[in-house]
Every structure is written in structure tokens, then in C-alpha cells.
Amino acid sequence: MTEHIVSSFDTDLKEIGRSVVEMGGQAERLVADSVEALVKRDTELAQKVIVLDGPVDLLQREIEEKAVLTIARRQPLASDLREIVAAMRIANDLERIGDLAKNTAKRVLALTGEFHPQKLVRGVEHMSNIVLEQLKVVLDSYASRDDAKALEVWQRDGEVDILYTSLFRELLTYMMEDPRNISLCTHLLFCAKNIERIGDHATNIAETVHYLATGQLLTEERPKQDTSSLTSVAFPA
Amino acid sequence: MTEHIVSSFDTDLKEIGRSVVEMGGQAERLVADSVEALVKRDTELAQKVIVLDGPVDLLQREIEEKAVLTIARRQPLASDLREIVAAMRIANDLERIGDLAKNTAKRVLALTGEFHPQKLVRGVEHMSNIVLEQLKVVLDSYASRDDAKALEVWQRDGEVDILYTSLFRELLTYMMEDPRNISLCTHLLFCAKNIERIGDHATNIAETVHYLATGQLLTEERPKQDTSSLTSVAFPA
């Protein structure tokens, strides 16, 4: 009897874990597609991202519901409880990542027909490649419960922040040089911010995986390097 | 014996609810202070907001922990489960609201010494007054389990989005008119976006209160009016 209970609890746990991994794959796809749509000015792909964010939101609610019912029904022990709480937290981060990708996709639609020098987009593309790599590694670290990998992601968040700050400054400079760049650069600034925040969510997930693997919180202050909100670019004389 | 269990469960529920209300008050304060700091260019107040976001984050984790332990220990019935899930969701939204207020406060620090015409700030202030009112009403609706109030907030989210879209266009125009406005206006755009997103979180909370009061989800599409990510302002000839 006890065995029966334990094994159906295990089934619940595995199902929740599988949903999180599936959701991770979907969120990763949305981020990659949103950036590709931006770089290639592909409005059809952008539309697809906007539509496919819906199923990601739905999956988050399903995971939450399943998690809560599992806790209520199975009264799990501390370590199993951790597993379920981690799934809920990661699903939350993935849902936000989907929203941010959707926002980038919407901006692609706003930019059709706009003056659009490839140079300006390149910085955003470079930054998003790094964030996509971070996201991939952290999702792997969850799937394999690999604390070392998670810590790697956590430590590298600073790089993304540094890139974002320098991109912020660069885009502001382009606006000042040529007012025709203002509308495009403004949207690119928001896209860059979206991507930087996706990086933050990847870092949150890394913290959750660490907590899952070790039962410990990462109490040390996160290596924050984003100073863009503190950035002010003087008007060139 | 059953009575003892029921009453300590009630104590847990009440404690969680009280923490959410307390957290709501703190988040509201952060939003009001961050906007006041922006309008009055008060860097001391901005610093305070940045520091006081920490306790809000902490409270979110405490509510989550307490909620999960209560579910695991008390095996609540469906209606009580709803109460606990609602508390977790609202705490999540409030945590995000605190982060957004903190981001606005950081931008106040970036803008010290900047060319700073009051006219440009006024639109942000107006929008934030409406969002603060939305936040206040929705927190009241949670405290009093008032579905009608919650629905009111939910229906008014469109107003904020319309304001944001028009503010976005206005700030872009100021940048094009005078490049000295670019740095300030860019930060104001992000502040306006922060406030618009705080409005979105207030609407999320309204949906949660509705679910709490009725057991129903608001399935109707939310009245979305923000088209700013679809906005493109032509360079004035």
C-alpha cells in the first residue's frame, strides 16, 4: 500500500518535471525565434512567436495546479517538497521569458518599413546569442540536476549585464548622431532590455537548480553588473 | 481533535493573508516613492526605494514557504487551497511590482544633473497616479474579498495602456525635436514602461481576486490597449 502511494507520487513528480523541461524547450524556441525575426525582419515569424506564447502561459498554470494538488494529496517529505517548489519557480521564470520574447516579436511588427541599418541590430543579436546559450545550459542543468552547470550560469550573468550597459550607451549615441535612428533604436533598447531580463530569469533558474541540488540558497549577492539604469550619456558637444 | 486541526489551519491561512496585505502595502509605498523621487528628483528617496525592495523580496519567499508548508501539513479542501494559491500568486505579482519600482528609482539616480524639463516628467506622473489608484483598489479588493472592485480594476487596465501608448509617442517626438532630450526621454520611456507593467500586475491581482471570490477564471480576453510596441513614429519632415 505504501509502495503504491510512493510510486504514484513518483509518477506525479516525474510528470511535473517533464512538463517543466517541455516548457523550457518552448520558451527557448520563442526567444530564438523572436531574435531571428528581429534580425531578419521576418514579420511572419514574429506573428508565430506572439501566438505560441499562449501555450507557454497555459503550461505554467498546469504545472502550478499539478504541483499544488500533488503537495495536498501526497504530503511529501522535505526533499520532495523542494522538487515541487522548484518546478513551480522555474515555470514562473519560463512564463516570464515567454512574455519577454513576445514583446520583442511585437516590436518587430512595429519596425516594418523603418530605416533599419543592420549595424544597429548586430549588438542585440550578439547579446542574445550569449543569453540563449545561458538559457540552454541552465535548462540542461535542471534536466540533469547538475549543480556545477547551474553555478556556471549564475556566475556568467555579469557578462550579459556588461554587454547590455555598453549596448545601451551605443544605441543612445546612434540616436544622438542621427534622429532618423530614434524610433528604431528605442525599440532596440527595449528588445535589448527584454533579452537582458531573459538572462536574469536564466540566473533565477540557476539559483533554483542549486537549491534543488543542495537544499541551500545562494545567499551571496548575485554578481550584478548592469549599470545601464545608472547610465547617462552626455550630449556630444 | 478535528477542531484543533481546523483552527490551526485557519490561523495559518489568516497569517498568510496578513502577510500578503502587508506586502501589498510595502509594494504600494515603493511605487509611490519611486515616482515621487522621479518627479522631485529626490535621490535620497530613490536610494530608500532601492534598499526597501529587499524586504519585499524576502516577504515573497516567506509567503511561498508558509503556503507550501500549510498545503503539505493541512491537506486543505479545494476552497482553502484556492485561498493559498491566490496568496502565492499575488505575492509573486507584488514582488515584481517592487522590482519595477526599484528600477525606476535607479533611473532617478542616473538622471541627476541631466537637462530635465518638468513638462516631460508630467506625463509619467499622470499615468502613475492612475496606476497607483488601480493598485490601491485591487489591494482593497483582496483584503475585503470584493469581486466587484476587482472586476473594476480589471476593466480599467485599458486606460493605462492607452495613456502609455500616447506617452511613448510623445516622448519619441521630444527626442526628435531636441537631441538633448534623448537621454532623459529614454529613461522616462523605461519608467513609463515600468509603470505600465505595474498596472498589468494590478490586473493580474484582480484576476486572482476574482478566482478567489468565485472559483472562476476570467477567461475573456483581457481588454488590452497597449499598442506602444507596435508604435512607430515617423521622423518629422
Side-chain angles (χ1 to χ4, degrees):
Chain A
M1 186 62 194
T2 305
E3 212 170 279
H4 172 70
I5 290 173
V6 167
S7 87
S8 54
F9 173 70
D10 269 5
T11 309
D12 285 352
L13 260 194
K14 274 191 189 127
E15 208 179 295
I16 292 170
R18 257 201 311 273
S19 295
V20 172
V21 170
E22 186 195 329
M23 197 182 165
Q26 289 182 14
E28 213 181 329
R29 185 80 263 140
L30 290 183
V31 176
D33 284 353
S34 68
V35 175
E36 191 182 327
L38 178 68
V39 173
K40 298 193 177 157
R41 315 177 63 179
D42 182 340
T43 54
E44 208 170 305
L45 188 57
Q47 296 276 18
K48 203 183 119 199
V49 170
I50 293 167
V51 171
L52 289 181
D53 179 51
V56 174
D57 290 353
L58 213 63
L59 208 42
Q60 189 253 327
R61 280 297 151 99
E62 278 171 26
I63 289 166
E64 184 189 68
E65 192 175 316
K66 180 95 191 167
V68 166
L69 287 177
T70 302
I71 299 172
R73 282 194 199 128
R74 316 283 185 201
Q75 299 195 282
L77 301 171
S79 68
D80 292 326
L81 207 49
R82 206 156 70 204
E83 188 80 33
I84 299 174
V85 170
M88 282 198 287
R89 285 190 190 157
I90 294 174
N92 259 327
D93 282 304
L94 292 173
E95 191 265 335
R96 299 284 313 137
I97 288 173
D99 279 356
L100 293 162
K102 182 169 86 170
N103 187 273
T104 297
K106 282 189 187 171
R107 291 178 193 281
V108 174
L109 301 185
L111 290 171
T112 47
E114 192 91 5
F115 184 63
H116 199 289
Q118 274 300 313
K119 175 178 76 165
L120 304 192
V121 182
R122 203 131 310 143
V124 177
E125 189 182 15
H126 175 57
M127 188 177 150
S128 72
N129 286 338
I130 292 174
V131 167
L132 270 169
E133 178 63 23
Q134 289 274 83
L135 190 54
K136 191 191 164 305
V137 175
V138 85
L139 290 172
D140 285 352
S141 83
Y142 173 69
S144 57
R145 303 292 187 273
D146 185 336
D147 184 40
K149 257 191 190 172
L151 283 173
E152 203 183 290
V153 169
W154 190 76
Q155 276 150 353
R156 288 189 56 195
D157 186 49
E159 286 178 38
V160 175
D161 292 336
I162 288 171
L163 262 178
Y164 172 65
T165 303
S166 107
L167 190 57
F168 186 91
R169 205 166 281 151
E170 194 183 335
L171 288 169
L172 237 55
T173 308
Y174 289 141
M175 291 197 228
M176 288 166 180
E177 279 172 7
D178 185 347
R180 281 175 303 169
N181 289 330
I182 286 178
S183 179
L184 172 65
C185 283
T186 300
H187 283 296
L188 288 179
L189 275 173
F190 276 99
C191 291
K193 183 71 188 166
N194 289 340
I195 292 159
E196 185 256 349
R197 287 177 50 229
I198 291 169
D200 281 346
H201 287 290
T203 314
N204 287 349
I205 296 173
E207 289 177 4
T208 302
V209 172
H210 179 75
Y211 156 81
L212 188 55
T214 66
Q216 304 289 313
L217 293 176
L218 277 168
T219 45
E220 197 190 327
E221 235 336 72
R222 186 190 294 187
K224 259 283 151 198
Q225 313 269 3
D226 165 27
T227 56
S228 84
S229 54
L230 300 171
T231 294
S232 154
V233 173
F235 179 63
Chain B
M1 188 59 197
T2 307
E3 213 170 280
H4 172 70
I5 290 175
V6 169
S7 87
S8 53
F9 174 69
D10 269 5
T11 310
D12 284 353
L13 260 195
K14 274 192 190 126
E15 209 180 292
I16 292 170
R18 258 199 310 274
S19 296
V20 172
V21 170
E22 187 194 329
M23 197 182 166
Q26 289 183 15
E28 214 181 329
R29 187 78 262 136
L30 290 183
V31 177
D33 285 352
S34 67
V35 176
E36 190 181 327
L38 178 68
V39 173
K40 298 194 177 156
R41 314 178 63 178
D42 183 339
T43 54
E44 209 168 304
L45 188 56
Q47 298 274 16
K48 205 182 118 201
V49 170
I50 293 167
V51 170
L52 289 182
D53 177 51
V56 174
D57 290 351
L58 213 63
L59 209 41
Q60 189 253 328
R61 280 296 151 100
E62 277 172 28
I63 289 167
E64 184 189 69
E65 192 174 318
K66 180 94 192 168
V68 166
L69 286 177
T70 302
I71 299 172
R73 280 192 202 132
R74 314 284 184 201
Q75 299 193 282
L77 301 171
S79 68
D80 293 328
L81 206 50
R82 206 156 70 204
E83 189 80 33
I84 300 174
V85 170
M88 282 199 288
R89 286 192 191 157
I90 295 174
N92 258 327
D93 282 305
L94 292 172
E95 191 265 334
R96 298 284 313 139
I97 288 173
D99 278 356
L100 292 163
K102 182 169 87 169
N103 186 272
T104 297
K106 281 190 187 170
R107 292 179 191 279
V108 174
L109 301 184
L111 290 172
T112 47
E114 192 90 4
F115 182 62
H116 199 291
Q118 274 300 313
K119 175 178 73 163
L120 304 193
V121 181
R122 204 130 311 142
V124 178
E125 189 183 14
H126 175 56
M127 188 177 148
S128 72
N129 286 339
I130 292 174
V131 167
L132 269 169
E133 178 63 23
Q134 288 275 81
L135 190 54
K136 192 190 162 305
V137 175
V138 85
L139 292 171
D140 286 352
S141 82
Y142 173 70
S144 57
R145 302 292 186 273
D146 185 337
D147 184 40
K149 257 190 189 170
L151 283 174
E152 204 184 291
V153 169
W154 190 76
Q155 276 149 356
R156 287 189 58 196
D157 187 48
E159 287 178 40
V160 175
D161 291 336
I162 289 171
L163 262 178
Y164 172 64
T165 303
S166 106
L167 190 56
F168 187 91
R169 205 167 279 150
E170 193 184 336
L171 288 168
L172 236 55
T173 308
Y174 288 143
M175 291 197 225
M176 288 167 179
E177 279 172 9
D178 185 347
R180 279 176 304 170
N181 289 330
I182 286 178
S183 177
L184 172 64
C185 284
T186 299
H187 283 296
L188 288 180
L189 275 175
F190 276 99
C191 291
K193 183 72 188 164
N194 289 340
I195 291 159
E196 185 258 349
R197 286 177 51 228
I198 290 169
D200 281 346
H201 287 290
T203 312
N204 287 348
I205 295 173
E207 289 177 2
T208 303
V209 173
H210 178 75
Y211 156 81
L212 188 54
T214 66
Q216 304 290 313
L217 293 177
L218 277 167
T219 45
E220 199 190 327
E221 224 355 59
R222 185 189 296 188
K224 258 283 152 201
Q225 313 270 2
D226 166 25
T227 56
S228 85
S229 54
L230 300 172
T231 295
S232 153
V233 174
F235 180 62

